[in-house]
């Protein structure tokens, strides 16, 4: 758990751990208020699509997996569905993660990222691979964009694990509590997983910051009272101010090489597959949060890698995003900010345990 104290610059960003630490309390406070507002609280999604990749989704019958929708059947009140331990596990849950890493992560894994050994490059045309020296092939396979992609996925997985461990159900007493051992084994003992939670937070902050003018002009009416709408905009403005300062992700260094367009298409195809794999998650509650967060991350990456300032101008492009994308983006940022708060709790628990020994 000593590994959970992180300092210094965060790779492929212009930010450091200390900066994120210093803004997270305020960010978390504002986001907590924002996601209570009717506009951000209700998420519309078709939760019961068939899994397109295998016949059975291994439905979880655990009561912790069940959720109910509101009114029209496709809206979910997110405040009634905390992301926490549900009991969804075993081969069905592992099959989903395995498919995400093995088939949709450019062949990258924790092992080959750490050892520097990589699988055969997958994005370059064969003719190009042949002319590359073996070392160059390796670095080509682990190019910046692919590493970013892997961090996004692994960071999401680590954030989900952090939520599970933070609100863990003691099956014997029926009580919910933070489970330090769970956090150590799933996250803290793999420091890079924790680093990627910070990385994803910065990426999301940068996307929110770039979307600032669009978000400020968005129509938040029709979901709450006039007072609600006013407060929504005020709180959002505070979040945007934090995002402007801390969202130091430099998207301009990505997708610049010769094969940029091919790579970008692959990047999109892989991530689209990941969003579709969410239909194979057998636990309703996990599937809902899986869909929200993959939509939130996909929206962030669309904003960073696809859209220029003209496209992001609300006057030129008022229909740029759907409401569900905006709701998902903000709630996903909230999930990550909440994970960082939970990490703080785990650090304190560790210190208490250390002091008691
Ligand atoms: P898993 O978390 O299933 O991990 C499988 C393997 O992936 C590990 O053995 C490890 O080798 C590797 N791995 C683990 N973490 C990382 C990482 N960060 N980066 C890279 N590799 C990693 N369960 C709940 O209780 N509540 C939820 O809300 C919930 N939501 C889920 C959402 C989705 C989209 C999915 C697919 C699953 C969800 N689950 C949820 C299940 C949960 O993620 C675990 O699968 C389950 O708790 C079993 O955990 P595990 O220890 O077997 O390892």
């Amino acid at each position: 758990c000593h590994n959970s104290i992180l300092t210094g610059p965060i790779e492929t960003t212009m930010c450091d751990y200390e900066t994120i630490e210093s803004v997270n309390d305020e960010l978390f406070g504002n986001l907590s208020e924002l996601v209570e507002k009717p506009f951000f609280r209700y998420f519309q999604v078709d939760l019961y699509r068939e899994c397109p990749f295998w016949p059975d989704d291994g439905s979880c019958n655990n009561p912790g997996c069940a959720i109910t929708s509101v009114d029209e059947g496709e809206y979910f009140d997110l405040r009634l569905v905390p992301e926490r331990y549900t009991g969804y596990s075993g081969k069905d849950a592992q099959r989903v993660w395995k498919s995400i890493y093995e088939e949709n992560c450019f062949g990258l894994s924790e092992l080959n990222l750490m050892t520097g050994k990589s699988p055969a490059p997958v994005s370059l045309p064969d003719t190009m691979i042949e002319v590359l020296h073996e070392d160059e092939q390796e670095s080509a396979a682990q190019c910046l964009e692919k590493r970013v992609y892997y961090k996004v996925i692994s960071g999401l997985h680590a954030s989900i694990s952090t939520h599970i461990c933070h609100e863990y159900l003691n099956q014997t007493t029926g009580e919910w509590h933070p489970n330090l051992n769970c956090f150590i084994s799933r996250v803290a003992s793999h420091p890079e997983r924790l680093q990627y939670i910070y990385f994803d937070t910065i990426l999301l902050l940068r996307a929110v910051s770039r979307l600032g003018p669009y978000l400020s002009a968005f129509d938040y009416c029709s979901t709450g009272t006039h007072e609600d709408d006013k407060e929504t905009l005020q709180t959002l403005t505070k979040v945007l101010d934090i995002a402007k300062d801390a969202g130091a992700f430099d998207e301009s260094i990505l997708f610049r090489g010769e094969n940029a367009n091919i790579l970008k298409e692959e990047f999109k195809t892989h991530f689209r597959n990941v969003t579709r794999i969410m239909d194979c998650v057998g636990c309703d509650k996990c599937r809902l949060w899986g869909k929200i967060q993959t939509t939130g991350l996909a929206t962030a990456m669309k904003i960073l890698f696809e859209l220029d300032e003209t496209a992001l101008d609300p006057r030129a492009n008022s229909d740029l995003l759907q409401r569900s994308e905006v709701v998902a983006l903000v709630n996903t940022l909230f999930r990550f900010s909440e994970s960082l708060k939970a990490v703080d709790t785990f650090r304190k628990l560790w210190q208490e345990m250390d002091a008691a020994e």
Side-chain angles (χ1 to χ4, degrees):
C1 210
H2 291 299
N3 289 337
S4 76
I5 312 291
L6 298 169
T7 56
I10 302 176
E11 205 198 347
T12 50
T13 74
M14 296 171 295
C15 197
D16 52 36
Y17 294 102
E18 291 87 339
T19 303
I20 295 297
E21 298 279 346
S22 69
V23 299
N24 193 48
D25 276 352
E26 201 188 341
L27 178 67
F28 178 77
N30 286 313
L31 285 170
S32 306
E33 275 180 39
L34 197 58
V35 297
E36 288 291 333
K37 299 291 174 208
F39 183 88
F40 289 105
R41 185 179 175 138
Y42 298 100
F43 184 68
Q44 185 187 18
V45 64
D46 178 0
L47 201 58
Y48 301 102
R49 286 208 211 119
E50 233 171 71
C51 165
F53 299 106
W54 48 81
D56 68 299
D57 64 4
S59 278
C60 162
N61 295 320
N62 196 315
C65 284
I67 49 171
T68 40
S69 56
V70 291
D71 297 341
E72 298 109 73
E74 281 199 0
Y75 276 91
F76 294 88
D77 181 345
L78 302 182
R79 301 289 65 80
L80 301 180
V81 196
E83 189 186 30
R84 61 182 182 182
Y85 176 85
T86 61
Y88 177 54
S89 56
K91 63 177 177 32
D92 293 318
Q94 272 165 18
R95 176 170 57 176
V96 176
W97 287 121
K98 193 165 180 276
S99 153
I100 290 173
Y101 287 113
E102 286 186 0
E103 288 161 41
N104 294 290
C105 256
F106 296 98
L108 291 187
S109 72
E110 270 179 336
L111 192 65
N112 59 45
L113 274 182
M114 280 188 293
T115 58
K117 293 260 174 276
S118 56
V122 286
S123 76
L124 301 175
D126 286 345
T127 45
M128 273 216 62
I129 294 167
E130 278 165 21
V131 298
L132 289 177
H133 184 265
E134 206 178 314
D135 292 344
E136 289 172 311
Q137 285 186 19
E138 282 201 348
S139 64
Q142 291 190 30
C143 66
L144 195 55
E145 291 82 354
K146 292 179 186 178
R147 291 176 69 91
V148 164
Y149 181 97
Y150 182 84
K151 288 177 187 184
V152 168
I153 299 286
S154 178
L156 171 65
H157 193 168
S159 176
I160 291 174
S161 299
T162 303
H163 277 98
I164 295 172
C165 301
H166 189 241
E167 279 198 67
Y168 200 84
L169 179 66
N170 181 326
Q171 314 258 4
T172 319
T173 62
E175 281 172 6
W176 294 91
H177 66 102
N179 182 331
L180 182 60
N181 285 335
C182 169
F183 178 72
I184 292 174
S185 69
R186 292 185 190 216
V187 183
S189 58
H190 306 263
E192 66 292 345
R193 294 183 187 174
L194 185 56
Q195 290 165 16
Y196 302 157
I197 299 182
Y198 287 79
F199 179 84
D200 283 7
T201 308
I202 298 172
L203 183 138
L204 286 159
L205 281 169
R206 170 66 180 156
V208 166
S209 158
R210 279 200 73 198
L211 200 62
Y214 185 85
L215 286 177
S216 301
F218 206 87
D219 180 12
Y220 298 101
C221 304
S222 77
T223 47
T225 62
H226 178 62
E227 201 50 33
D228 266 328
D229 299 337
K230 214 172 87 188
E231 283 171 13
T232 303
L233 206 51
Q234 280 168 352
T235 316
L236 184 68
T237 307
K238 292 183 197 161
V239 171
L240 291 179
D241 285 343
I242 299 170
K244 224 180 280 171
D245 289 340
F249 184 90
D250 186 5
E251 66 278 4
S252 70
I253 59 170
L254 299 169
F255 300 110
R256 287 204 310 199
E258 231 178 291
N259 297 292
N261 286 340
I262 303 173
L263 195 57
K264 202 186 269 190
E265 275 316 304
E266 274 189 57
F267 200 98
K268 273 160 59 179
T269 307
H270 282 314
F271 205 79
R272 203 173 298 126
N273 263 348
V274 172
T275 58
R276 293 175 72 213
I277 289 171
M278 292 302 120
D279 284 315
C280 306
V281 173
C283 155
D284 291 357
K285 202 183 274 179
C286 312
R287 190 182 322 129
L288 176 66
W289 279 113
K291 278 181 177 250
I292 293 171
Q293 294 182 86
T294 49
T295 305
L297 287 167
T299 306
M301 291 193 278
K302 178 161 108 178
I303 294 163
L304 296 182
F305 307 140
E306 294 275 298
L307 303 171
D308 61 16
E309 298 312 318
T310 316
L312 289 167
D313 184 342
R315 285 160 306 182
N317 214 348
S318 62
D319 292 332
L320 180 67
L321 296 179
Q322 294 170 2
R323 177 184 168 206
S324 58
E325 291 177 300
V326 174
V327 174
L329 179 65
V330 166
N331 273 281
T332 305
L333 178 59
F334 180 50
R335 295 288 83 197
F336 278 85
S337 174
E338 195 170 61
S339 285
L340 294 179
K341 281 289 277 185
V343 171
D344 266 350
T345 306
F346 285 122
R347 283 178 185 140
K348 284 184 192 123
L349 283 175
W350 173 262
Q351 280 163 4
E352 282 166 23
M353 203 178 80
D354 230 10
E357 274 172 6

